Amino acid sequence: MKYVSTRGQAETLDFEGATLAGLARDGGLYVPDSIPALSSDVIRAMRGQSYADVAFTVIQPFVGGVIDDSVLKAMIEETYSETVFRHAAVAPLVQLGSNDWLLELFHGPTLAFKDFALQLLGRFFDHFIAKRGKTLTILGATSGDTGSAAIEACRGRNNITIYMLHPKDRVSDVQRRQMTTILEPNVVNVAIDGTFDDCQALVKASFNDLAFRDEVGLTAVNSINWARVMAQIVYYFTSAVALGAPDRKISYSVPTGNFGDIYAGYLARAMGLPIERLVIATNSNDILARTLQTGLYARGDVHATISPSMDIQVSSNFERMMFDLSERKGAVINAYMQDFAAHGQIQLSATELEKARSIFLAQQVDDATTKTVMAQLCAKNGYIADPHTAVGLKAAQALPYGQAARVTLSTAHPVKFGAAVQDATGVAPQLPTHLQDLYEREERFMNLPNSCDDLKALVAGRASA
Ligand SMILES: *Cc1c(COP(=O)(O)O)cnc(C)c1O
């Protein structure tokens, strides 16, 4: 399997190269040059299989022989084991109504779906750098959940240093503490005076400085890293098969920020899973909902909401989607992204828009509605959902109530957003046992202004120390 850049100008890489590169050198994102198809028989055979077995079937074609099958299988089994994910089903379904389900993706070490990809990515990094005898510098930006999941996946790994930027005072206490209480010396937490988009822009700018990038061996863990998207395809298969696929259609509602999780759903569909519709569920940061309405992908202002992991106006992975919408024309995407850099907007063509609308629906859900959904679910089902999940549940109602099962991705444990949950439901969610003492642990982080020079000085300084 070969990987090409969405902007058509960077060199073609194999799975190992694409995983280590993160962002392509032309500023684009790596995507496989073709999407492997799984037949109905292969999908049917997943019934009753373990999460790890399904994961191997889905992931193996993308790895393309770069890792021996037996080694890959062992890595996958170790990742999706009960010592990492604290639920025997790994990603259990919970039934909420006659045709409505929740897919709980928060049983990993940091209580959000990001663990699914990052736990595996940490093992890929370890495997590849051990082979190359090199060291890696990981630089990432987080609106909350990526940071803790990436740090958890990399902590104590000898040849990796991880720098994680978060927007100062814009992540929840639990989210911040999950990052800043990891005191291993290879973990550097940085609070940036700015928004998540500012943090993300700093990361992108550092990557685009190719000399700097090579000097410190920079690698990305944000959802621009292909391997992360790939790992997220798996739970669409496990959940759809449990609900009757390939002999029944399934629709998904996905709480969306950077478009990584829902893009994985799109890939599952492209691989042959009978997904009818994918609902892009957003909070009031609605760039994607507006895009689907008007065809104009236009940057707006970032609003702080009670679902902060989706407080994003620029959805990096949408570039991968646009690549497919444009029939995989790198030159088109290159021009689009230049437009976006210069004018903050991209006009999709009529064909592209029509194609997007045939797969996706989009719904914007405001904070007041999100709270109502949490309160009603608590009253009717006795179920406590986190605010991101609640956005997804509301958006799922846009799906026709028909034969296709409606599945909402539950992206985080309610305790990560305890204040908002308590405010809406009157119930204070409890930390699971392994995090019980989180509030007593020591914290460590640095503060930096929103400045790329300061960031590069910090990273280069440590790398040469
Ligand atoms: C990251 C995150 C999202 C958004 O996922 P994307 O892949 O960025 O679209 C939604 N909910 C939670 C809890 C998250 O951590």
Side-chain angles (χ1 to χ4, degrees):
M1 181 71 70
K2 292 288 172 210
Y3 288 82
V4 298
S5 164
T6 48
R7 300 193 194 173
Q9 290 169 8
E11 73 176 312
T12 298
L13 299 173
D14 64 7
F15 178 73
E16 176 175 344
T19 301
L20 291 176
L23 198 65
R25 293 180 86 86
D26 59 3
L29 307 183
Y30 276 106
V31 287
D33 65 353
S34 66
I35 306 294
L38 298 181
S39 70
S40 294
D41 286 345
V42 169
I43 296 172
R44 209 171 280 117
M46 292 173 177
R47 288 179 184 164
Q49 285 188 358
S50 70
Y51 190 93
D53 284 343
V54 174
F56 181 76
T57 305
V58 171
I59 288 171
Q60 195 269 350
F62 289 107
V63 174
V66 163
I67 304 173
D68 284 347
D69 280 357
S70 61
V71 176
L72 179 64
K73 209 170 175 83
M75 286 164 94
I76 288 174
E77 271 165 11
E78 194 187 282
T79 303
Y80 303 108
S81 69
E82 276 183 66
T83 52
V84 180
F85 287 85
R86 290 171 169 80
H87 193 292
V90 182
L93 282 161
V94 173
Q95 188 162 12
L96 295 182
S98 44
N99 207 19
D100 288 286
W101 279 266
L102 265 186
L103 180 60
E104 288 186 349
L105 300 174
F106 54 71
H107 297 282
T110 69
L111 313 180
F113 81 88
K114 308 285 199 301
D115 287 323
F116 277 84
L118 285 161
Q119 283 294 321
L120 187 60
L121 187 63
R123 287 169 173 83
F124 282 143
F125 282 156
D126 233 15
H127 178 80
F128 292 143
I129 53 177
K131 216 174 80 180
R132 294 183 172 206
K134 283 195 175 171
T135 62
L136 278 187
T137 300
I138 289 175
L139 176 61
T142 188
S143 56
D145 300 322
T146 301
S148 54
I151 288 169
E152 192 63 47
C154 294
R155 67 189 292 184
R157 292 191 191 273
N158 280 337
N159 300 319
I160 301 177
T161 307
I162 177 165
Y163 294 85
M164 190 50 64
L165 315 184
H166 69 265
K168 190 173 170 60
D169 300 330
R170 286 179 192 242
V171 298
S172 77
D173 280 356
V174 172
Q175 285 180 315
R176 190 192 65 249
R177 286 184 160 273
Q178 282 184 309
M179 298 191 279
T180 57
T181 59
I182 308 291
L183 304 177
E184 268 96 341
N186 73 324
V187 174
V188 186
N189 278 292
V190 186
I192 296 287
D193 221 339
T195 64
F196 170 67
D197 284 340
D198 293 330
C199 295
Q200 189 158 257
L202 288 176
V203 171
K204 282 212 164 180
S206 307
F207 273 86
N208 287 334
D209 180 342
L210 298 182
F212 174 74
R213 177 170 168 175
D214 290 340
E215 181 192 327
V216 300
L218 217 52
T219 297
V221 286
N222 277 38
S223 54
I224 53 180
N225 192 304
W226 164 259
R228 275 190 62 186
V229 173
M230 173 191 76
Q232 291 168 189
I233 301 171
V234 177
Y235 44 72
Y236 288 93
F237 276 92
T238 59
S239 56
V241 166
L243 293 174
D247 304 305
R248 182 188 188 192
K249 288 194 168 175
I250 320 287
S251 288
Y252 288 89
S253 175
V254 186
T256 294
N258 234 341
F259 207 77
D261 212 4
I262 194 162
Y263 175 67
Y266 161 80
L267 290 166
R269 186 177 185 273
M271 290 174 79
L273 194 64
I275 294 178
E276 191 164 78
R277 281 297 176 121
L278 290 162
V279 184
I280 304 167
T282 73
N283 62 26
S284 50
N285 296 286
D286 62 344
I287 179 170
L288 292 167
R290 284 186 280 114
T291 305
L292 228 62
Q293 267 160 24
T294 64
L296 189 69
Y297 180 73
R299 192 201 303 264
D301 294 329
V302 184
H303 306 287
T305 72
I306 57 169
S307 45
S309 300
M310 308 195 296
D311 290 352
I312 291 171
Q313 277 290 345
V314 181
S315 299
S316 306
N317 275 291
F318 196 61
E319 179 168 343
R320 287 188 163 113
M321 192 62 231
M322 287 192 289
F323 183 66
D324 273 14
L325 293 175
S326 78
E327 306 289 339
R328 314 196 115 219
K329 294 195 186 80
V332 170
I333 300 306
N334 203 22
Y336 275 1
M337 296 318 292
Q338 274 175 21
D339 266 3
F340 193 69
H343 312 293
Q345 57 183 55
I346 295 168
Q347 178 65 55
L348 297 182
S349 75
T351 329
E352 289 162 355
L353 182 59
E354 195 183 321
K355 205 156 138 196
R357 284 179 176 159
S358 71
I359 303 168
F360 298 100
L361 292 172
Q363 283 291 307
Q364 191 252 83
V365 182
D366 63 22
D367 277 358
T369 312
T370 307
K371 286 184 198 170
T372 307
V373 171
M374 286 193 278
Q376 284 175 348
L377 187 64
C378 177
K380 276 196 198 156
N381 293 52
Y383 188 91
I384 306 294
D386 104 288
H388 304 79
T389 305
V391 167
L393 283 169
K394 178 67 189 177
Q397 291 173 8
L399 287 164
Y401 194 81
Q403 293 147 323
R406 303 194 294 194
V407 178
T408 298
L409 269 49
S410 179
T411 49
H413 190 293
V415 78
K416 290 198 94 163
F417 306 95
V421 170
Q422 186 168 9
D423 179 38
T425 65
V427 177
Q430 299 302 305
L431 283 163
T433 10
H434 73 282
L435 289 170
Q436 213 88 76
D437 64 341
L438 188 65
Y439 279 88
E440 281 106 66
R441 295 182 194 169
E442 181 192 340
E443 282 193 84
R444 191 160 67 211
F445 63 95
M446 325 183 33
N447 290 292
L448 276 190
N450 179 13
S451 147
C452 199
D453 288 341
D454 287 17
L455 176 63
K456 285 196 265 190
L458 168 73
V459 176
R462 275 189 57 121
S464 64

